[in-house]
Amino acid sequence: MLTSLLISAMIGASSAEPINPDALALLDRDPQLHAWALKTSDENRDGWLTLYEAQAAVGRLKEVADGNKDGRVTVREFEEAKAFVAARWGVAPQPAR
Ligand SMILES: [Ca+2]
Ligand SMILES: [Ca+2]
């Protein structure tokens, strides 16, 4: 489920764990976030996100999303962050399902 994946990816982004496979899985499942991650975190500009680049992207997303700085990203904060990065970086929103 995307929400639990999101939470674990966010937790991984804040920990000292060097490898966080959930970061790449999260971005792979969300085309809008993936497009945003490519714009902000594809450091070598090859059009692909490595796990390292994906982790950096999720770390950035968490900084943007955790509006009240309590170290946790709620689903609501996540949705607001997605809307924010879509507007700020010009990433097309996902069509409603
Ligand atoms: Ca890359
Ligand atoms: Ca929060």
Side-chain angles (χ1 to χ4, degrees):
M1 182 178 176
L2 181 60
T3 303
S4 59
L5 180 65
L6 163 71
I7 299 303
S8 64
M10 292 293 179
I11 291 170
S14 67
S15 77
E17 282 290 313
I19 300 297
N20 177 17
D22 287 340
L24 202 51
L26 173 67
L27 297 175
D28 276 346
R29 289 189 191 193
D30 192 316
Q32 188 180 7
L33 286 180
H34 193 265
W36 167 80
L38 277 179
K39 286 192 176 197
T40 58
S41 304
D42 183 18
E43 291 179 16
N44 61 359
R45 299 288 162 203
D46 65 353
W48 296 91
L49 288 172
T50 63
L51 182 53
Y52 176 81
E53 289 167 339
Q55 287 183 101
V58 171
R60 285 190 179 100
L61 182 66
K62 187 183 176 187
E63 281 184 26
V64 170
D66 187 16
N68 60 0
K69 304 295 178 199
D70 66 352
R72 297 175 56 232
V73 176
T74 63
V75 172
R76 183 177 167 187
E77 285 177 330
F78 175 68
E79 294 296 336
E80 288 174 354
K82 272 185 66 173
F84 175 80
V85 301
R88 168 69 177 76
W89 280 272
V91 181
Q94 280 181 279
R97 295 181 197 181

